[in-house]
Amino acid sequence: MANDLFNSFMNGPDEKGRFGDFGGRFVSETLMPLILSLEEEYEKAKTDESFWAEMDDLWTHYVGRPSPLYYAEGLTKHLGGAKIYLKRDELNHTGAHKINNVLGQILLARRMGKTRIIAETGAGQHGVATATVCAKFGLKCVVYMGAHDVERQAPNVFRMQLLGAEVIPVTSGRGTLKDAMNDALRDWVTNVHDTFYCIGTVAGPHPYPAMVRDFQAIIGKEAKAQMLAAEDRLPDTIIAAIGGGSNAMGLFFPFLDDESVRIIGVEAGGKGVNMKMEHCASLTGGRPGVLHGNRTYLLQDDDGQILEGHSISAGLDYPGIGPEHSWLHEIGRAEYVAITDDEALEAFQLCCTTEGIIPALEPSHALAHVMKIAPDLPADHIICMNMCGRGDKDIFTVAKHLGVEMVRGD
Amino acid sequence: MTRIDDTFAALKADSKKAFVAYIMAGDTDEATSLEVMQGLPGAGVDIIELGIPFTDPMADGPTIQLAGQRALAAGMTLQKTLDMAAAFRKGDDKTPIVLMGYYNPIYNRGVDKFLVDAKAAGIDGLIVVDLPPEEDEELCLPAQAAGMNFIRLATPTTDDKRLPKVLQNTSGFLYYVSITGITGAAEASAEDVAPEVARIKAASDIPVIVGFGVNTPEKAQAIAGVADGTVVGSAIVSQIAAGKPVAEVLAFVKTLADGAHRA
């Protein structure tokens, strides 16, 4: 894995928006001119120092970056093997990594003169981040959220409303994250002139997968520098949870050409990848297809109809995955594994009691895999895991699964 | 020359506009939709658009979304859609059939295999909503090489700079989407559509058919009047959704076809 220009893993996508076979621009003609103009604007911004200066300022003073790289001594001792570091992106304003990307897209929207922002959300973290930045900049915000997710993520729905966003429960299809994305696309196709679609993950038509990755890559850039400062070397293994895969892509990207670094993405195994449709592990249990503007691994049936996944975590409950992950999977640069609901719940509790950190259910999946591999690794093996969100939003779900009855309200 | 080309040549000779009807394959079940399809030519339909059901129809409004869900719930598949076309072909070798849908079911089957099977089933053209010109190598070019028309959508956002790209590999006819939006949502007006069709006509000789938001005989007449014909989908699907008997659905289709043919 050489670092020269020609053998780098960091050159994608190509001019057609492809990472190998994956990615592309599979959208209706109405949207095509819109994504071309977005691409043009993003290409301009990418090399514009004033754009990144504004981002840096907001990241520092509004989001609270850099997020700490924290040596998790309690977990390390408990597991008795590898040395575990957590990249604390749950400490960001709004409680997750999502805002890293939202800031970038909203700054672009402002440059493009768009006044109305739409977004899809699953767990509600991307919706909250979008509503937050829209409130700051005085932009109208409409968030599409599956009716099922509205129910299981009630605190985030109220947060978005407090921030002035309109939350539209999506009942089309089966009312989940993929249906929310369908309805957001239907909105965009209808309101082409004033509306900017702020996608929350590294999926969708080109340039979204590359653009969102570039905005999230701040996670990996910081982690690399912080690790060098703390240990004077790179980590041996980096791990992150994957729904669409934006926090993972953000952590992985700056390490892709570092041959010594093992890269592991953790998908939601739900009730087990072998039980049909009871998981969201696109790479472990799906195959390539075309949905939401890109070719990538999808959960689908024999007829090419998209299947609904299942995960305890609303943020991972998506039948696809970002196209760059599909590519990294196929070329073997990254490994992808699946963790079940029960394993994630166990990790969630362990993190609470050993580190005093209540993690979101999404990174609990990554932590569950750390729990699996760390005990068998030597003490000088360094693992860096992205703690991409905090768990306040999940306490009701966890309580329910643990059989604890909580009394809500006053 | 495909059946589509023949149809437009014949309509032109008669100075008639085309009436195109859309139904969803397998809605509300296989037998019903085949019966409707078989009755369409008799109701004055010149070209049939047969929808391939898909779980995630991103460009469609609730009417077509629900039609797809009903069809899938009744067990419809891409194979059964092709079987339905083949069954129709046994009794009608003249009316063009255009399959309309989304790419994934086709990609999942394999493009080469799909084209062979579709050709054998008597399919004349394809409209695949999520394949813009930028993705022509996926299906558009192989379909044309297999002797099938690939019908492209042009929309109000297709500006003069982009129009040549949209027209380049289009064959059979061009489907002009009269509104920015989803199927069955907003109303199209002939005044807005006329200059857009004129703009396309100035750049190409290909027939231009206008759809989205056409739902009455009057509208069909007005829209067909400023183009080479018109498409009605959601309004027909609504009749099927309401559980109207096939004869009643076809009588409604006939009023729309008569409207378009008066233009």
PDB file of all heavy atoms in Angstrom, chain A residues 265-293:
ATOM      1  N   GLY A 265     -14.926  -1.980  10.270  1.00  0.00           N
ATOM      2  CA  GLY A 265     -16.248  -1.361  10.347  1.00  0.00           C
ATOM      3  C   GLY A 265     -17.221  -2.346  10.969  1.00  0.00           C
ATOM      4  O   GLY A 265     -17.185  -3.539  10.672  1.00  0.00           O
ATOM      5  N   VAL A 266     -18.089  -1.835  11.845  1.00  0.00           N
ATOM      6  CA  VAL A 266     -19.006  -2.721  12.568  1.00  0.00           C
ATOM      7  C   VAL A 266     -20.441  -2.418  12.163  1.00  0.00           C
ATOM      8  O   VAL A 266     -20.962  -1.323  12.415  1.00  0.00           O
ATOM      9  CB  VAL A 266     -18.836  -2.559  14.095  1.00  0.00           C
ATOM     10  CG1 VAL A 266     -19.751  -3.537  14.826  1.00  0.00           C
ATOM     11  CG2 VAL A 266     -17.381  -2.777  14.499  1.00  0.00           C
ATOM     12  N   GLU A 267     -21.081  -3.389  11.527  1.00  0.00           N
ATOM     13  CA  GLU A 267     -22.470  -3.222  11.100  1.00  0.00           C
ATOM     14  C   GLU A 267     -23.426  -3.738  12.173  1.00  0.00           C
ATOM     15  O   GLU A 267     -23.029  -4.482  13.069  1.00  0.00           O
ATOM     16  CB  GLU A 267     -22.709  -3.989   9.797  1.00  0.00           C
ATOM     17  CG  GLU A 267     -21.902  -3.470   8.625  1.00  0.00           C
ATOM     18  CD  GLU A 267     -22.376  -4.092   7.311  1.00  0.00           C
ATOM     19  OE1 GLU A 267     -22.035  -5.252   7.041  1.00  0.00           O
ATOM     20  OE2 GLU A 267     -23.101  -3.410   6.581  1.00  0.00           O
ATOM     21  N   ALA A 268     -24.687  -3.367  12.017  1.00  0.00           N
ATOM     22  CA  ALA A 268     -25.705  -3.787  12.978  1.00  0.00           C
ATOM     23  C   ALA A 268     -26.221  -5.169  12.611  1.00  0.00           C
ATOM     24  O   ALA A 268     -26.878  -5.350  11.602  1.00  0.00           O
ATOM     25  CB  ALA A 268     -26.851  -2.788  12.991  1.00  0.00           C
ATOM     26  N   GLY A 269     -25.910  -6.132  13.453  1.00  0.00           N
ATOM     27  CA  GLY A 269     -26.335  -7.511  13.191  1.00  0.00           C
ATOM     28  C   GLY A 269     -27.722  -7.823  13.705  1.00  0.00           C
ATOM     29  O   GLY A 269     -28.220  -8.929  13.523  1.00  0.00           O
ATOM     30  N   GLY A 270     -28.372  -6.851  14.342  1.00  0.00           N
ATOM     31  CA  GLY A 270     -29.748  -7.041  14.809  1.00  0.00           C
ATOM     32  C   GLY A 270     -29.891  -8.283  15.657  1.00  0.00           C
ATOM     33  O   GLY A 270     -29.176  -8.481  16.637  1.00  0.00           O
ATOM     34  N   LYS A 271     -30.806  -9.150  15.252  1.00  0.00           N
ATOM     35  CA  LYS A 271     -31.017 -10.387  16.009  1.00  0.00           C
ATOM     36  C   LYS A 271     -30.125 -11.508  15.496  1.00  0.00           C
ATOM     37  O   LYS A 271     -30.250 -12.652  15.890  1.00  0.00           O
ATOM     38  CB  LYS A 271     -32.486 -10.782  15.947  1.00  0.00           C
ATOM     39  CG  LYS A 271     -33.373  -9.777  16.668  1.00  0.00           C
ATOM     40  CD  LYS A 271     -34.840 -10.091  16.546  1.00  0.00           C
ATOM     41  CE  LYS A 271     -35.642  -8.979  17.226  1.00  0.00           C
ATOM     42  NZ  LYS A 271     -37.061  -9.000  16.850  1.00  0.00           N
ATOM     43  N   GLY A 272     -29.241 -11.170  14.529  1.00  0.00           N
ATOM     44  CA  GLY A 272     -28.344 -12.188  13.973  1.00  0.00           C
ATOM     45  C   GLY A 272     -28.410 -12.155  12.457  1.00  0.00           C
ATOM     46  O   GLY A 272     -29.493 -12.124  11.898  1.00  0.00           O
ATOM     47  N   VAL A 273     -27.231 -12.135  11.807  1.00  0.00           N
ATOM     48  CA  VAL A 273     -27.191 -11.928  10.353  1.00  0.00           C
ATOM     49  C   VAL A 273     -27.779 -13.115   9.590  1.00  0.00           C
ATOM     50  O   VAL A 273     -28.203 -12.991   8.452  1.00  0.00           O
ATOM     51  CB  VAL A 273     -25.742 -11.627   9.893  1.00  0.00           C
ATOM     52  CG1 VAL A 273     -25.644 -11.504   8.380  1.00  0.00           C
ATOM     53  CG2 VAL A 273     -25.273 -10.328  10.533  1.00  0.00           C
ATOM     54  N   ASN A 274     -27.836 -14.285  10.229  1.00  0.00           N
ATOM     55  CA  ASN A 274     -28.368 -15.437   9.518  1.00  0.00           C
ATOM     56  C   ASN A 274     -29.892 -15.476   9.466  1.00  0.00           C
ATOM     57  O   ASN A 274     -30.475 -16.198   8.676  1.00  0.00           O
ATOM     58  CB  ASN A 274     -27.849 -16.739  10.133  1.00  0.00           C
ATOM     59  CG  ASN A 274     -26.345 -16.809   9.962  1.00  0.00           C
ATOM     60  OD1 ASN A 274     -25.825 -16.360   8.947  1.00  0.00           O
ATOM     61  ND2 ASN A 274     -25.641 -17.323  10.956  1.00  0.00           N
ATOM     62  N   MET A 275     -30.517 -14.686  10.321  1.00  0.00           N
ATOM     63  CA  MET A 275     -31.981 -14.675  10.307  1.00  0.00           C
ATOM     64  C   MET A 275     -32.435 -13.626   9.317  1.00  0.00           C
ATOM     65  O   MET A 275     -32.148 -12.458   9.467  1.00  0.00           O
ATOM     66  CB  MET A 275     -32.528 -14.387  11.696  1.00  0.00           C
ATOM     67  CG  MET A 275     -32.162 -15.489  12.682  1.00  0.00           C
ATOM     68  SD  MET A 275     -32.560 -15.035  14.362  1.00  0.00           S
ATOM     69  CE  MET A 275     -34.325 -15.276  14.358  1.00  0.00           C
ATOM     70  N   LYS A 276     -33.158 -14.034   8.324  1.00  0.00           N
ATOM     71  CA  LYS A 276     -33.529 -13.154   7.233  1.00  0.00           C
ATOM     72  C   LYS A 276     -34.204 -11.867   7.715  1.00  0.00           C
ATOM     73  O   LYS A 276     -35.148 -11.919   8.486  1.00  0.00           O
ATOM     74  CB  LYS A 276     -34.461 -13.904   6.276  1.00  0.00           C
ATOM     75  CG  LYS A 276     -34.045 -13.680   4.830  1.00  0.00           C
ATOM     76  CD  LYS A 276     -34.939 -14.425   3.871  1.00  0.00           C
ATOM     77  CE  LYS A 276     -34.558 -14.041   2.455  1.00  0.00           C
ATOM     78  NZ  LYS A 276     -35.442 -14.594   1.470  1.00  0.00           N
ATOM     79  N   MET A 277     -33.704 -10.737   7.220  1.00  0.00           N
ATOM     80  CA  MET A 277     -34.307  -9.434   7.473  1.00  0.00           C
ATOM     81  C   MET A 277     -34.270  -8.967   8.918  1.00  0.00           C
ATOM     82  O   MET A 277     -34.876  -7.971   9.252  1.00  0.00           O
ATOM     83  CB  MET A 277     -35.768  -9.423   7.028  1.00  0.00           C
ATOM     84  CG  MET A 277     -35.911  -9.391   5.539  1.00  0.00           C
ATOM     85  SD  MET A 277     -37.600  -9.096   5.044  1.00  0.00           S
ATOM     86  CE  MET A 277     -37.933  -7.501   5.781  1.00  0.00           C
ATOM     87  N   GLU A 278     -33.551  -9.692   9.779  1.00  0.00           N
ATOM     88  CA  GLU A 278     -33.545  -9.268  11.182  1.00  0.00           C
ATOM     89  C   GLU A 278     -32.242  -8.565  11.526  1.00  0.00           C
ATOM     90  O   GLU A 278     -31.767  -8.640  12.640  1.00  0.00           O
ATOM     91  CB  GLU A 278     -33.767 -10.477  12.090  1.00  0.00           C
ATOM     92  CG  GLU A 278     -35.080 -11.161  11.821  1.00  0.00           C
ATOM     93  CD  GLU A 278     -36.092 -10.886  12.907  1.00  0.00           C
ATOM     94  OE1 GLU A 278     -36.052 -11.574  13.917  1.00  0.00           O
ATOM     95  OE2 GLU A 278     -36.915  -9.980  12.716  1.00  0.00           O
ATOM     96  N   HIS A 279     -31.648  -7.927  10.515  1.00  0.00           N
ATOM     97  CA  HIS A 279     -30.388  -7.228  10.741  1.00  0.00           C
ATOM     98  C   HIS A 279     -30.266  -6.092   9.726  1.00  0.00           C
ATOM     99  O   HIS A 279     -31.119  -5.931   8.867  1.00  0.00           O
ATOM    100  CB  HIS A 279     -29.214  -8.202  10.575  1.00  0.00           C
ATOM    101  CG  HIS A 279     -29.091  -8.750   9.190  1.00  0.00           C
ATOM    102  ND1 HIS A 279     -28.399  -8.108   8.191  1.00  0.00           N
ATOM    103  CD2 HIS A 279     -29.626  -9.848   8.610  1.00  0.00           C
ATOM    104  CE1 HIS A 279     -28.489  -8.795   7.076  1.00  0.00           C
ATOM    105  NE2 HIS A 279     -29.232  -9.860   7.301  1.00  0.00           N
ATOM    106  N   CYS A 280     -29.201  -5.291   9.862  1.00  0.00           N
ATOM    107  CA  CYS A 280     -28.963  -4.195   8.912  1.00  0.00           C
ATOM    108  C   CYS A 280     -27.562  -4.280   8.352  1.00  0.00           C
ATOM    109  O   CYS A 280     -26.954  -3.275   8.002  1.00  0.00           O
ATOM    110  CB  CYS A 280     -29.119  -2.852   9.602  1.00  0.00           C
ATOM    111  SG  CYS A 280     -30.799  -2.545  10.080  1.00  0.00           S
ATOM    112  N   ALA A 281     -27.002  -5.477   8.283  1.00  0.00           N
ATOM    113  CA  ALA A 281     -25.611  -5.638   7.871  1.00  0.00           C
ATOM    114  C   ALA A 281     -25.534  -5.769   6.356  1.00  0.00           C
ATOM    115  O   ALA A 281     -25.546  -6.867   5.806  1.00  0.00           O
ATOM    116  CB  ALA A 281     -25.003  -6.850   8.570  1.00  0.00           C
ATOM    117  N   SER A 282     -25.449  -4.617   5.665  1.00  0.00           N
ATOM    118  CA  SER A 282     -25.491  -4.598   4.197  1.00  0.00           C
ATOM    119  C   SER A 282     -24.327  -5.362   3.576  1.00  0.00           C
ATOM    120  O   SER A 282     -24.499  -6.072   2.594  1.00  0.00           O
ATOM    121  CB  SER A 282     -25.455  -3.164   3.687  1.00  0.00           C
ATOM    122  OG  SER A 282     -26.311  -2.360   4.441  1.00  0.00           O
ATOM    123  N   LEU A 283     -23.132  -5.178   4.141  1.00  0.00           N
ATOM    124  CA  LEU A 283     -21.962  -5.837   3.548  1.00  0.00           C
ATOM    125  C   LEU A 283     -21.911  -7.307   3.933  1.00  0.00           C
ATOM    126  O   LEU A 283     -21.574  -8.155   3.121  1.00  0.00           O
ATOM    127  CB  LEU A 283     -20.672  -5.139   3.991  1.00  0.00           C
ATOM    128  CG  LEU A 283     -20.430  -3.751   3.406  1.00  0.00           C
ATOM    129  CD1 LEU A 283     -19.169  -3.135   3.998  1.00  0.00           C
ATOM    130  CD2 LEU A 283     -20.319  -3.807   1.895  1.00  0.00           C
ATOM    131  N   THR A 284     -22.253  -7.596   5.168  1.00  0.00           N
ATOM    132  CA  THR A 284     -22.189  -8.980   5.647  1.00  0.00           C
ATOM    133  C   THR A 284     -23.324  -9.806   5.053  1.00  0.00           C
ATOM    134  O   THR A 284     -23.144 -10.972   4.736  1.00  0.00           O
ATOM    135  CB  THR A 284     -22.261  -9.015   7.191  1.00  0.00           C
ATOM    136  OG1 THR A 284     -21.519  -7.915   7.702  1.00  0.00           O
ATOM    137  CG2 THR A 284     -21.694 -10.300   7.737  1.00  0.00           C
ATOM    138  N   GLY A 285     -24.500  -9.189   4.867  1.00  0.00           N
ATOM    139  CA  GLY A 285     -25.656  -9.976   4.440  1.00  0.00           C
ATOM    140  C   GLY A 285     -26.360  -9.488   3.182  1.00  0.00           C
ATOM    141  O   GLY A 285     -27.436  -9.979   2.852  1.00  0.00           O
ATOM    142  N   GLY A 286     -25.769  -8.517   2.459  1.00  0.00           N
ATOM    143  CA  GLY A 286     -26.433  -7.989   1.269  1.00  0.00           C
ATOM    144  C   GLY A 286     -25.629  -8.226   0.006  1.00  0.00           C
ATOM    145  O   GLY A 286     -24.658  -8.979   0.009  1.00  0.00           O
ATOM    146  N   ARG A 287     -26.053  -7.588  -1.094  1.00  0.00           N
ATOM    147  CA  ARG A 287     -25.285  -7.664  -2.344  1.00  0.00           C
ATOM    148  C   ARG A 287     -25.481  -6.351  -3.118  1.00  0.00           C
ATOM    149  O   ARG A 287     -26.408  -5.590  -2.826  1.00  0.00           O
ATOM    150  CB  ARG A 287     -25.681  -8.885  -3.164  1.00  0.00           C
ATOM    151  CG  ARG A 287     -27.115  -8.915  -3.596  1.00  0.00           C
ATOM    152  CD  ARG A 287     -27.391 -10.172  -4.444  1.00  0.00           C
ATOM    153  NE  ARG A 287     -28.667 -10.023  -5.100  1.00  0.00           N
ATOM    154  CZ  ARG A 287     -29.837 -10.225  -4.518  1.00  0.00           C
ATOM    155  NH1 ARG A 287     -29.887 -10.596  -3.256  1.00  0.00           N
ATOM    156  NH2 ARG A 287     -30.960 -10.042  -5.178  1.00  0.00           N
ATOM    157  N   PRO A 288     -24.624  -6.098  -4.127  1.00  0.00           N
ATOM    158  CA  PRO A 288     -24.690  -4.798  -4.798  1.00  0.00           C
ATOM    159  C   PRO A 288     -26.022  -4.529  -5.490  1.00  0.00           C
ATOM    160  O   PRO A 288     -26.637  -5.438  -6.070  1.00  0.00           O
ATOM    161  CB  PRO A 288     -23.554  -4.882  -5.829  1.00  0.00           C
ATOM    162  CG  PRO A 288     -22.588  -5.846  -5.239  1.00  0.00           C
ATOM    163  CD  PRO A 288     -23.454  -6.885  -4.559  1.00  0.00           C
ATOM    164  N   GLY A 289     -26.459  -3.289  -5.393  1.00  0.00           N
ATOM    165  CA  GLY A 289     -27.683  -2.846  -6.045  1.00  0.00           C
ATOM    166  C   GLY A 289     -27.661  -1.331  -6.168  1.00  0.00           C
ATOM    167  O   GLY A 289     -26.641  -0.699  -5.849  1.00  0.00           O
ATOM    168  N   VAL A 290     -28.760  -0.757  -6.639  1.00  0.00           N
ATOM    169  CA  VAL A 290     -28.822   0.687  -6.838  1.00  0.00           C
ATOM    170  C   VAL A 290     -30.021   1.259  -6.072  1.00  0.00           C
ATOM    171  O   VAL A 290     -31.157   0.837  -6.285  1.00  0.00           O
ATOM    172  CB  VAL A 290     -28.955   1.032  -8.338  1.00  0.00           C
ATOM    173  CG1 VAL A 290     -29.189   2.528  -8.523  1.00  0.00           C
ATOM    174  CG2 VAL A 290     -27.705   0.593  -9.096  1.00  0.00           C
ATOM    175  N   LEU A 291     -29.740   2.172  -5.166  1.00  0.00           N
ATOM    176  CA  LEU A 291     -30.790   2.831  -4.387  1.00  0.00           C
ATOM    177  C   LEU A 291     -30.300   4.208  -3.946  1.00  0.00           C
ATOM    178  O   LEU A 291     -29.121   4.377  -3.659  1.00  0.00           O
ATOM    179  CB  LEU A 291     -31.143   1.989  -3.148  1.00  0.00           C
ATOM    180  CG  LEU A 291     -32.230   2.571  -2.229  1.00  0.00           C
ATOM    181  CD1 LEU A 291     -33.594   2.485  -2.889  1.00  0.00           C
ATOM    182  CD2 LEU A 291     -32.263   1.847  -0.886  1.00  0.00           C
ATOM    183  N   HIS A 292     -31.219   5.159  -3.882  1.00  0.00           N
ATOM    184  CA  HIS A 292     -30.912   6.492  -3.360  1.00  0.00           C
ATOM    185  C   HIS A 292     -29.695   7.119  -4.048  1.00  0.00           C
ATOM    186  O   HIS A 292     -28.860   7.750  -3.411  1.00  0.00           O
ATOM    187  CB  HIS A 292     -30.688   6.449  -1.845  1.00  0.00           C
ATOM    188  CG  HIS A 292     -31.947   6.125  -1.088  1.00  0.00           C
ATOM    189  ND1 HIS A 292     -31.961   5.516   0.137  1.00  0.00           N
ATOM    190  CD2 HIS A 292     -33.253   6.315  -1.411  1.00  0.00           C
ATOM    191  CE1 HIS A 292     -33.208   5.351   0.547  1.00  0.00           C
ATOM    192  NE2 HIS A 292     -34.007   5.831  -0.380  1.00  0.00           N
ATOM    193  N   GLY A 293     -29.623   6.917  -5.365  1.00  0.00           N
ATOM    194  CA  GLY A 293     -28.622   7.649  -6.133  1.00  0.00           C
ATOM    195  C   GLY A 293     -27.278   6.987  -6.274  1.00  0.00           C
ATOM    196  O   GLY A 293     -26.418   7.498  -6.979  1.00  0.00           O
TER     197      GLY A 293
END
